[in-house]
Amino acid sequence: MKKRMMIAATALTLVASIAAGCGSGTGKDSAGTASPAGSPKASSSAKPSGADKQITIEFWGGPQVLNVEGIKSTEYGDYEKAMIASFEEKNPGIKVKYKLIGAAEIEQAITVALTGNNQPDVILDALGKRLIKYVNSGKVEDISDFYDPSKFNKSMIDAVTINGKIYGVPLWDHPEIVFLNKTIFKNKGLENLIPASRDWTIDQMRDVLKQVSGGGVYGTAFYALNEQGDEMMQQRFYNMGGKMWNDEQTEIVMDKYPEAAEWIQTMIDMMKEGSAAPGAATTQAVDALEMFKQGKLAMLPWGTGMYGAIAAGKKDGSIKADIELYGIKPPHKAGAELRLTNVGAAGISVFKQTDKDKREAVKKFVQFMTTPASIKAMAKAGGYLPAHNEAAYEPDDADLRVIMKEIANIPMASLGYKSKAYAGVRPLWFPELQAAFAGGKTPKQAVADFTQKANNMIAQVNKN
């Protein structure tokens, strides 16, 4: 089963029809306030149905978007706060308490909250990876009645649909490509090595990264401290021709592909030769990103949101290095089928509501946050693929426009996001990878041990 990336409406060519009211005016007006097209009709009254009843909604979210058009949003959470203020003004009977949680902490925060039955009412999160955990907890709400899924990208609706029930409103997807910092190549007189085709084989990549490394700069960096950003590490060996999960997402099959061990050995060799930064066993994804932002890495796999993040960092002064992004397709083994990885659909989910009036208030708030104009504004700010068919946009960044067209028809790898055992399997990989990087296991043994442990986990989960 190959999932092909589907871009909302005319976004395959990235030619947008601008939704009315978006990107201009104040924060109250630019995001729009009407219910999404085709959504259930909201109550005409601003107050919930219980007379004079004051309702408080707990809303959590990770760092998502900056510099949204029409809204002062130089810090993460600013856009959400502006939308909440507008919503509360129009709905005086409802108060929304917002909590911003760091990207590295949000999964643990939700896990602890679910364990203690202290989960929020609403969460804006990377649902692709974590939704199955929420569903398994039995504490997430079926919100099929909140909106019309036919107005949304089908593959993103599939990502939030489990056993026929819809457990979220998708906002955008975040495909992962590979970024070069053209400035490093120019400064070293190696600009001719940048691929005009935006395509490299693994061997071509290694040769170029050897040449560009030195003088405090590495070609790239690997990381294995924890599972955060794991799909970008998986991208590397999927494009060697291997797989971690089978297409049905029912079994780990890594040991059936010698390419997996081959790629681990390649990473070890690149660190030894100096074309990759040392210390991958104790490096995490955000460390590699910081090195890239500091101009210390020539290449890094990351989501398309990198364009917005770098632009925001230059604007607020947090990025001092001279960075000129150039997106390319993931380097691949000659003859291997090229595949993309992704963080999975970001979106809004609702945890179980037992009070009818509060559920209606939550529904109203979610509808307010997920109008086509709001989805478009957020997706454009982040450089993401919008989920709503009426939220297509023309990216401001010329390089983003080009690479989106280049990757439009590349299939997505099957990363196990919909497996009941995904949350349990995910943290099993990196201890094995650390052992291989540290020399405690051969790459082949690390792959074999992970495969066995992971499939044991899957069998155990399936019994329950």
Side-chain angles (χ1 to χ4, degrees), residues 122-261:
V122 180
I123 186 166
L124 199 171
D125 194 16
L127 298 183
K129 286 184 175 182
R130 292 190 270 272
L131 184 59
I132 190 66
K133 176 186 284 189
Y134 304 158
V135 173
N136 287 345
S137 76
K139 297 176 182 178
V140 70
E141 188 97 352
D142 176 1
I143 56 172
S144 303
D145 61 313
F146 277 37
Y147 67 103
D148 180 357
S150 71
K151 302 293 184 180
F152 286 71
N153 176 297
K154 184 179 183 302
S155 66
M156 296 191 211
I157 289 295
D158 288 346
V160 298
T161 303
I162 298 175
N163 298 326
K165 295 181 178 180
I166 295 176
Y167 290 105
V169 184
L171 299 176
W172 62 75
D173 204 346
H174 197 187
E176 286 156 348
I177 60 174
V178 170
F179 289 94
L180 305 181
N181 181 357
K182 289 179 70 173
T183 303
I184 290 176
F185 287 83
K186 290 177 180 179
N187 290 345
K188 290 176 174 280
L190 299 172
E191 192 173 3
N192 62 300
L193 299 180
I194 297 173
S197 65
R198 298 182 185 256
D199 186 46
W200 269 341
T201 65
I202 296 291
D203 289 340
Q204 290 170 331
M205 176 201 74
R206 285 194 67 182
D207 179 62
V208 170
L209 295 187
K210 284 179 187 177
Q211 295 183 61
V212 80
S213 296
V217 170
Y218 293 100
T220 192
F222 308 119
Y223 43 88
L225 182 62
N226 56 39
E227 64 267 27
Q228 300 305 317
D230 52 354
E231 75 288 337
M232 289 177 284
M233 288 291 282
Q234 290 183 47
Q235 178 197 92
R236 301 172 187 269
F237 65 77
Y238 269 86
N239 287 298
M240 286 287 285
K243 290 183 179 181
M244 177 179 280
W245 291 81
N246 64 359
D247 289 340
E248 294 74 27
Q249 302 184 44
T250 58
E251 180 186 5
I252 296 297
V253 294
M254 188 183 286
D255 63 344
K256 294 180 173 64
Y257 293 88
E259 292 87 353

Side-chain angles (χ1 to χ4, degrees), residues 157-415:
I157 289 295
D158 288 346
V160 298
T161 303
I162 298 175
N163 298 326
K165 295 181 178 180
I166 295 176
Y167 290 105
V169 184
L171 299 176
W172 62 75
D173 204 346
H174 197 187
E176 286 156 348
I177 60 174
V178 170
F179 289 94
L180 305 181
N181 181 357
K182 289 179 70 173
T183 303
I184 290 176
F185 287 83
K186 290 177 180 179
N187 290 345
K188 290 176 174 280
L190 299 172
E191 192 173 3
N192 62 300
L193 299 180
I194 297 173
S197 65
R198 298 182 185 256
D199 186 46
W200 269 341
T201 65
I202 296 291
D203 289 340
Q204 290 170 331
M205 176 201 74
R206 285 194 67 182
D207 179 62
V208 170
L209 295 187
K210 284 179 187 177
Q211 295 183 61
V212 80
S213 296
V217 170
Y218 293 100
T220 192
F222 308 119
Y223 43 88
L225 182 62
N226 56 39
E227 64 267 27
Q228 300 305 317
D230 52 354
E231 75 288 337
M232 289 177 284
M233 288 291 282
Q234 290 183 47
Q235 178 197 92
R236 301 172 187 269
F237 65 77
Y238 269 86
N239 287 298
M240 286 287 285
K243 290 183 179 181
M244 177 179 280
W245 291 81
N246 64 359
D247 289 340
E248 294 74 27
Q249 302 184 44
T250 58
E251 180 186 5
I252 296 297
V253 294
M254 188 183 286
D255 63 344
K256 294 180 173 64
Y257 293 88
E259 292 87 353
E262 181 184 350
W263 177 246
I264 295 173
Q265 188 60 54
T266 297
M267 290 190 284
I268 292 170
D269 293 343
M270 289 176 68
M271 285 188 280
K272 287 180 178 178
E273 71 192 17
S275 60
T282 56
T283 300
Q284 56 184 337
V286 292
D287 299 329
L289 177 61
E290 190 59 31
M291 292 177 69
F292 187 83
K293 288 180 176 179
Q294 292 172 1
K296 296 178 180 179
L297 297 180
M299 184 191 90
L300 187 69
W302 208 263
T304 51
M306 176 78 87
Y307 289 99
I310 295 299
K314 289 180 177 179
K315 185 174 182 179
D316 66 23
S318 61
I319 293 178
K320 310 295 184 185
D322 187 1
I323 298 174
E324 183 181 356
L325 294 177
Y326 185 80
I328 67 172
K329 292 173 279 190
H332 54 93
K333 188 175 183 178
E337 181 185 17
L338 188 59
R339 282 168 289 184
L340 294 176
T341 55
N342 66 335
V343 176
I348 290 179
S349 277
V350 175
F351 290 101
K352 288 285 188 182
Q353 301 295 317
T354 57
D355 182 287
K356 180 181 177 181
D357 291 336
K358 185 169 183 180
R359 190 180 190 278
E360 281 300 308
V362 166
K363 180 178 179 179
K364 185 177 293 186
F365 175 62
V366 171
Q367 289 177 340
F368 184 87
M369 292 292 294
T370 58
T371 64
S374 180
I375 292 174
K376 175 183 174 181
M378 289 187 284
K380 185 175 182 180
Y384 306 135
L385 300 176
H388 200 286
N389 296 339
E390 298 171 14
Y393 66 91
E394 174 80 3
D396 293 331
D397 190 286
D399 196 72
L400 176 57
R401 291 198 294 271
V402 173
I403 194 60
M404 284 296 198
K405 292 177 183 177
E406 291 286 334
I407 66 175
N409 293 312
I410 300 175
M412 289 286 182
S414 179
L415 300 179

Side-chain angles (χ1 to χ4, degrees), residues 58-115:
E58 296 282 344
F59 174 38
W60 290 9
Q64 299 294 343
V65 291
L66 295 168
N67 300 318
V68 180
E69 284 183 347
I71 292 179
K72 185 178 180 182
S73 46
T74 57
E75 301 288 339
Y76 286 116
D78 285 352
Y79 176 77
E80 291 88 339
K81 291 174 185 176
M83 289 290 285
I84 289 167
S86 179
F87 175 78
E88 290 180 338
E89 182 180 345
K90 294 171 174 61
N91 297 274
I94 307 172
K95 180 175 178 59
V96 180
K97 292 176 64 177
Y98 175 64
K99 182 177 181 180
L100 176 66
I101 305 174
E105 292 81 35
I106 191 166
E107 184 162 4
Q108 179 65 15
I110 291 294
T111 299
V112 171
L114 288 170
T115 301

